[in-house]
Amino acid sequence: MRGCPRTRKAGTREGSVQCLAPPCAPLGCWQPFPGPAAATQPCSRLCPCWFPADFVLVWEEDLKPDRPQDSAARDRTDVHRTWRETFLDHLRAAGLRVDQLDVQDGDSAVHYALLSASWAALCYYAEDLRLKLPLQELPNQASNWSAELLAWLGLPNILLEDVPDVPPEYYSCRFRVSKLPRFLGSDNQDTFFTSTKRHQILFEILAKTPYGHEKKNLLGIHQLLAEGVFSAAFPLHDGPFKAPPEGPQAPRLNQRQVLFRHWARWGKWSKYQPLDHVRRYFGEKVALYFAWLGFYTGWLLPAAVVGTLVFLVGCFLVFSDIPTQELCGSQDSFEMCPLCLDCPFWLLSSACALAQAGRLFDHGGTVFFSLFMALWAVLFLEYWKRKSATLAYRWDCSDYEDIEERPRPQFAASAPMTAPNPITGEDEPYFPERSRARRMLAGSVVIVVMVAVVVMCLVSVILYRTIMAILVSRSGNTVLTAWASRIASLTGSVVNLIFIVILSKIYVTLAHVLTRWEMHRTQTKFEDSFTLKVFIFQFVNFYSSPIYIAFFKGRFVGHPGNYHTLFGVRSEECAAGGCLIELAQELLVIMVGKQVINNMQEVLIPKLKGWWQKFRLRSKRKAGASSGAGREPWEADYELVPCEGLFDEYLEMVLQFGFVTIFVAACPLAPLFALLNNWVEIRLDARKFVCEYRRPVAERAQDIGIWFPVLTAITHLAVTSNAFLLAFSSDFLPRAYYQWTRAHDLRGFVNFTLARAPPHFAAAHNRTCRYRAFRDDHGHYSQTYWNLLAIRLAFVIVFEHVVFSIGRVLDLLVPDIPESVQIKVKREYYLAKQALAENEALFGTNGAKDEQTQGSEAVAV
């Protein structure tokens, strides 16, 4: 935000206005401005008080004289005032301009401290932070594979849109004051440092400035915010996001308005994201998230199409499948054993609808789709590596984590000692690795305890489903008895989802405390450790119930007369349609339910928080004060919601990726639901960042961090999971075995899968019954069971080796870095050597050594 930090008030001169508050008043700052609206217009750059206000600190104060306060509260208020004044004085000493504004009525006040850095301070800290700044402008190299494909085919591209003010690309290197004239735009001090660079510099100063004794760790804006000394600290947006009416006299759109018009609107769901604009305004870390999300959504399209086709094939097979027809037409041919101790006998034909529903997901097409999705996941990760390398090169952050990344301000404030950096040789804050290892070990114990809590919740859900199935079976209603297992499973899924949401909130808070305690040096290491903790827990939290249904439910039931129990309750078994349909139901409840809950939270919570913040602040204004056009930009931004980072967004998408890949054999429609959700998610997240969040401090990043190894681990797990699902939970192999050994048309398959109750059980009940198992008349496993077990294990081994082998071949065939990027890197290295040779000829050896360092920093590898 550029302009006078104060609203000007009308003076006594006709047609003029005057800034009445210091430092304008002593300077006699009069600016001619005709018209009655002059009192609310900002000063021009000719005004002596003009300066670029980049960062805002806010604190609130209660001025009610009649409110009683005890001595402890008064002391705390005095300490906070002392800390605040000391902090602001140190900011001024660091070269920042601090201008304070007060908005108050009789009972309360909101104080704003507008911060800006002088040119000398910007240059000093830019060199200290090793910021990269442009040397030479390059043509924009943005490209998209789908755009290139459509252009090659000569087809119109409806996804393409011309976005104004395309950010140029630069050949850049580390900034040095001694080389200032060589940097592009160094002759204009107002625009040389972009708004994001200025925000980064000011945030670094704020994070390291003390407000008390440094040995007592009294420094940094983060602790002041935690203590309540300041209510907020944020950089200013570029202006309002709503664009002015279009017309010949319409002003040029600011960066925020460009993003809103061409990115954050719902009508732009079918257009490419303007990633270069996002990167310029929010930084590389936010831009990489949206780049990954868009890339993932685009790759979901073929998976959704194939999955939908596989589901439609299942719909047709429901009415032509002979075993399903036999089951539905069996009438009273198959009387099934009771589902619990006091439950009645029931007819298999009453579960006709369940069997038909199971056939929707359990057929030969599922095997093909599982193989397709395994290869899809491998290719997705391989091509994302290429995309990520291309973006890292274009955005000049290829070597950020290895060379450029500085210690976290919170780490620097709390580290007990300093030590030389092995790469740069500079002294940096240091925390002993052995102490960190001990803290990480203690944190691991907490993770194990929380995982045990999740397992306890899972056991409670299992017991709930079993007891609910028994109660429904005893109802005496024939329809409810047949659907008892499904009713218990559905309600159990809802209960499990409630447990998941509650435990997630608790553990994320706990993981954040543990990660801060571990004292990680850089922000990347901090986020990686925090991410790993939360993901391990969330993996168990979200996937424990589907894993139980897929691989354990119905495996340890026993047989009539010898049923196994869990805490005295008979182990639950799969319904007539099989466990695969129950797994599909569980996946849809958790996956779709979580998506609906997340989207509702992302829509409602920011709006409710923003509404409450606006209501609270506007109620403090003087009566009759304007709440619309009269608001200053810092007041408008303070009414927005604080940005809480990207962790929750990444976690939501990575868990979705797990549902799409790990259990895809049970639910071919999972990619379709994920695709529909992500189309909404992209614009929803974009709208939050542009319209509802305060502007975050721009952060650099080289890639998506530890999320990529997590995705790789999920992909490998998905291959094994789908192999076991097809082998042990699906009827694919039993049907194939029956076709090979009995009847090719599958007639009699239902009878083949049912065993007869042992004689002692039949004698005790004076009737015989059937149950689903491959056992003989005495309850022992039959030869068919062992033959199928061997076939199933062989299938798992073959499936895994085929997929992993193909994936390895694809990994070798698809280079991680595109050839075009490799050529550009070599070209830059060549130009750097040429510059070194020229400098050596002009300035001699000493100048060449300095230029060699500068040239090597300019090469993005």
Side-chain angles (χ1 to χ4, degrees), residues 544 547-557 572 579 729:
S544 57
I547 288 174
Y548 163 74
I549 294 173
F551 305 117
F552 297 100
K553 185 176 181 180
R555 311 292 175 197
F556 313 102
V557 177
E572 59 178 347
C579 278
S729 298

Side-chain angles (χ1 to χ4, degrees), residues 783-820:
Q783 184 62 38
T784 300
Y785 171 83
W786 297 111
N787 292 340
L788 275 173
L789 180 61
I791 293 172
R792 283 166 167 161
L793 294 176
F795 176 84
V796 169
I797 295 172
V798 171
F799 186 91
E800 285 184 333
H801 280 69
V802 167
V803 174
F804 284 134
S805 299
I806 297 176
R808 181 58 179 166
V809 171
L810 294 175
D811 188 15
L812 295 174
L813 293 177
V814 181
D816 292 348
I817 302 177
E819 184 180 358
S820 60

Side-chain angles (χ1 to χ4, degrees), residues 158-457:
I158 62 172
L159 304 177
L160 191 62
E161 181 184 27
D162 290 331
V163 182
D165 193 21
V166 177
E169 294 187 16
Y170 298 104
Y171 174 56
S172 61
C173 72
R174 176 179 167 184
F175 175 75
R176 290 189 176 181
V177 177
S178 60
K179 307 294 182 182
L180 180 63
R182 299 192 179 187
F183 289 93
L184 196 65
S186 58
D187 55 335
N188 189 340
Q189 297 183 2
D190 294 335
T191 60
F192 179 64
F193 291 101
T194 63
S195 60
T196 53
K197 297 294 184 187
R198 295 197 304 269
H199 297 165
Q200 290 171 350
I201 292 172
L202 265 69
F203 183 73
E204 186 76 13
I205 297 173
L206 290 171
K208 291 184 176 180
T209 300
Y211 56 88
H213 204 293
E214 292 190 40
K215 291 185 177 180
K216 296 182 179 179
N217 198 25
L218 299 179
L219 72 162
I221 187 63
H222 295 88
Q223 295 192 48
L224 290 173
L225 290 171
E227 292 285 346
V229 179
F230 290 104
S231 304
F234 54 89
L236 283 171
H237 276 293
D238 275 4
F241 65 85
K242 292 184 179 179
E246 297 183 4
Q249 303 298 323
R252 181 183 176 184
L253 300 180
N254 62 42
Q255 295 181 29
R256 190 183 184 193
Q257 290 167 346
V258 170
L259 288 174
F260 175 73
R261 175 172 289 183
H262 298 278
W263 181 49
R265 294 167 62 185
W266 294 108
K268 300 298 179 181
W269 67 271
S270 61
K271 302 298 181 183
Y272 293 131
Q273 298 184 85
L275 294 176
D276 288 328
H277 295 73
V278 177
R279 177 242 180 175
R280 177 178 62 182
Y281 193 74
F282 291 111
E284 287 81 4
K285 179 173 284 189
V286 173
L288 275 171
Y289 163 72
F290 282 102
W292 176 82
L293 180 56
F295 188 82
Y296 169 50
T297 303
W299 272 71
L300 278 174
L301 185 59
V305 171
V306 176
T308 304
L309 291 176
V310 170
F311 177 75
L312 293 177
V313 169
C315 294
F316 287 111
L317 291 177
V318 166
F319 304 102
S320 61
D321 183 59
I322 291 178
T324 305
Q325 293 175 354
E326 286 185 347
L327 187 149
C328 293
S330 62
Q331 297 182 356
D332 57 354
S333 300
F334 302 112
E335 188 175 41
M336 306 299 291
C337 297
L339 296 174
C340 62
L341 184 62
D342 298 324
C343 295
F345 292 83
W346 58 285
L347 295 177
L348 183 61
S349 59
S350 64
C352 174
L354 292 176
Q356 291 175 335
R359 194 60 183 154
L360 292 174
F361 302 100
D362 190 2
H363 53 86
T366 305
V367 181
F368 161 76
F369 188 56
S370 298
L371 181 62
F372 171 83
M373 287 302 296
L375 299 179
W376 173 89
V378 172
L379 279 174
F380 164 70
L381 294 181
E382 288 301 319
Y383 277 93
W384 168 250
K385 283 194 288 187
R386 292 168 58 86
K387 178 72 171 180
S388 178
T390 302
L391 292 176
Y393 169 77
R394 283 183 49 222
W395 293 344
D396 203 15
C397 51
S398 297
D399 54 355
Y400 170 70
E401 293 180 10
D402 295 329
I403 298 176
E404 299 177 47
E405 190 169 17
R406 301 273 294 175
R408 286 189 314 127
Q410 301 92 322
F411 173 82
S414 305
M417 63 185 74
T418 60
N421 186 309
I423 297 177
T424 63
E426 300 177 1
D427 276 346
E428 291 184 351
Y430 177 76
F431 189 78
E433 291 294 335
R434 182 169 296 183
S435 300
R436 180 181 295 115
R438 286 198 295 265
R439 294 188 178 191
M440 293 178 68
L441 181 61
S444 301
V445 175
V446 177
I447 296 176
V448 172
V449 172
M450 291 301 297
V451 168
V453 173
V454 174
V455 174
M456 291 171 58
C457 291

Side-chain angles (χ1 to χ4, degrees), residues 119-135 172-184 186 192-193 201 403 423-424 426 836 839 846-858:
W119 170 253
L122 289 173
C123 291
Y124 173 80
Y125 286 105
E127 182 170 355
D128 182 62
L129 294 175
R130 300 197 285 266
L131 294 182
K132 282 191 172 183
L133 294 174
L135 286 172
S172 61
C173 72
R174 176 179 167 184
F175 175 75
R176 290 189 176 181
V177 177
S178 60
K179 307 294 182 182
L180 180 63
R182 299 192 179 187
F183 289 93
L184 196 65
S186 58
F192 179 64
F193 291 101
I201 292 172
I403 298 176
I423 297 177
T424 63
E426 300 177 1
L836 172 64
N839 191 74
N846 293 334
K849 287 182 179 178
D850 185 60
E851 189 66 27
Q852 182 178 14
T853 304
Q854 186 85 350
S856 63
E857 291 165 350

